[in-house]
């Protein structure tokens, strides 16, 4: 699974945490029965579904972000509460249909911080889930996100309406 600079183990740690949050069971490996049973409650994202689409990430700790996914593997992310602030991220769709998104952190640290978010799709509906961690050596928190699929058109106060293009 290509994960943009993070290892399969890092991605598993995030998905392991998401499995624990949703089921109350923390699998030690992808072979442990709880993990495939949990993944069976998910579906894979398709590239056609993601490219050009907007998703809203709402985190437990860090707020809300609007992300537009581009066909070249980049994404534009903006702060929902300060829509004029935006930055470029990288994304890939894993073989398992999990979206792996890597963005610079919006923080006041002197050193750049990278955030890695794995998003799994719900079987039905447009509300999905993800878990994110950072490469900060002093931060072991894996934050939970609700991820809302918005489709190819959105508008925000202070930002002209935009249309996603594949």
């Amino acid at each position: 699974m290509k994960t943009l600079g993070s290892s399969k183990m890092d991605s598993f740690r995030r998905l392991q945490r998401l499995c624990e949050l949703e089921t109350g069971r923390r699998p030690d490996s992808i072979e442990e029965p709880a993990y495939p049973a949990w993944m069976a409650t998910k579906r894979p994202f398709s590239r056609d579904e993601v490219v050009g689409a907007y998703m809203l990430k709402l985190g437990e700790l860090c707020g809300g972000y609007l992300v537009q996914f581009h066909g070249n593997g980049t994404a534009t992310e903006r702060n929902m509460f300060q829509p004029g602030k935006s930055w470029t991220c990288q994304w890939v769709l894993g073989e398992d249909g999990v979206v792996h998104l890597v963005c610079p952190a919006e923080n006041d640290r002197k050193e750049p911080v990278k955030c890695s978010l794995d998003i799994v799709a719900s079987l039905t509906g447009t509300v999905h889930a993800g878990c994110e961690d950072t490469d900060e050596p002093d931060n072991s928190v894996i934050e939970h996100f609700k991820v809302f699929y918005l489709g190819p058109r959105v508008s925000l106060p202070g930002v002209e309406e935009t249309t996603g293009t594949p």
Side-chain angles (χ1 to χ4, degrees), residues 4 45-57 65-78 87-93 98-103 117-119 128 147-152 154 162-166:
L4 302 170
F45 278 106
S46 72
R47 182 168 174 76
D48 289 343
E49 174 183 24
V50 176
V51 171
Y54 287 88
M55 293 188 201
L56 174 62
K57 301 172 15 184
Y65 300 93
L66 182 68
V67 182
Q68 180 186 19
F69 294 86
H70 309 293
N72 64 357
T74 65
T76 303
E77 183 172 275
R78 66 180 69 244
W87 46 90
T88 301
C89 305
Q90 303 292 315
W91 74 277
V92 295
L93 183 62
V98 174
V99 173
H100 306 283
L101 179 67
V102 176
C103 296
L117 174 70
D118 293 329
I119 307 167
H128 308 298
V147 181
F148 299 82
Y149 180 85
L150 303 176
V154 299
T162 55
T163 302
T165 54

Side-chain angles (χ1 to χ4, degrees), residues 131-142:
C131 273
E132 176 182 83
D133 62 7
T134 73
D135 63 355
E136 296 172 296
D138 61 341
N139 183 0
S140 61
V141 172
I142 299 178

Side-chain angles (χ1 to χ4, degrees), residues 14-159:
R14 291 185 291 272
L15 294 175
Q16 174 190 46
R17 177 67 179 137
L18 192 53
C19 176
E20 180 181 28
L21 287 168
E22 292 186 356
T23 68
R25 296 162 66 196
R26 182 180 180 89
D28 291 325
S29 73
I30 60 173
E31 290 85 22
E32 190 172 314
Y35 188 78
W38 169 71
M39 283 300 283
T41 70
K42 307 298 176 191
R43 67 169 178 81
F45 278 106
S46 72
R47 182 168 174 76
D48 289 343
E49 174 183 24
V50 176
V51 171
Y54 287 88
M55 293 188 201
L56 174 62
K57 301 172 15 184
L58 293 178
E60 295 176 319
L61 304 172
C62 70
Y65 300 93
L66 182 68
V67 182
Q68 180 186 19
F69 294 86
H70 309 293
N72 64 357
T74 65
T76 303
E77 183 172 275
R78 66 180 69 244
N79 184 312
M80 285 295 301
F81 304 105
Q82 297 176 14
K85 290 180 80 174
S86 66
W87 46 90
T88 301
C89 305
Q90 303 292 315
W91 74 277
V92 295
L93 183 62
E95 293 172 12
D96 54 1
V98 174
V99 173
H100 306 283
L101 179 67
V102 176
C103 296
E106 182 184 24
N107 63 37
D108 296 327
R109 290 191 178 234
K110 292 180 181 179
E111 298 295 321
V113 175
K114 178 180 68 175
C115 298
S116 299
L117 174 70
D118 293 329
I119 307 167
V120 294
S122 298
L123 281 176
T124 60
T126 59
V127 181
H128 308 298
C131 273
E132 176 182 83
D133 62 7
T134 73
D135 63 355
E136 296 172 296
D138 61 341
N139 183 0
S140 61
V141 172
I142 299 178
E143 184 173 2
H144 179 234
F145 280 83
K146 289 294 183 188
V147 181
F148 299 82
Y149 180 85
L150 303 176
R153 288 184 75 85
V154 299
S155 62
L156 287 174
V159 177

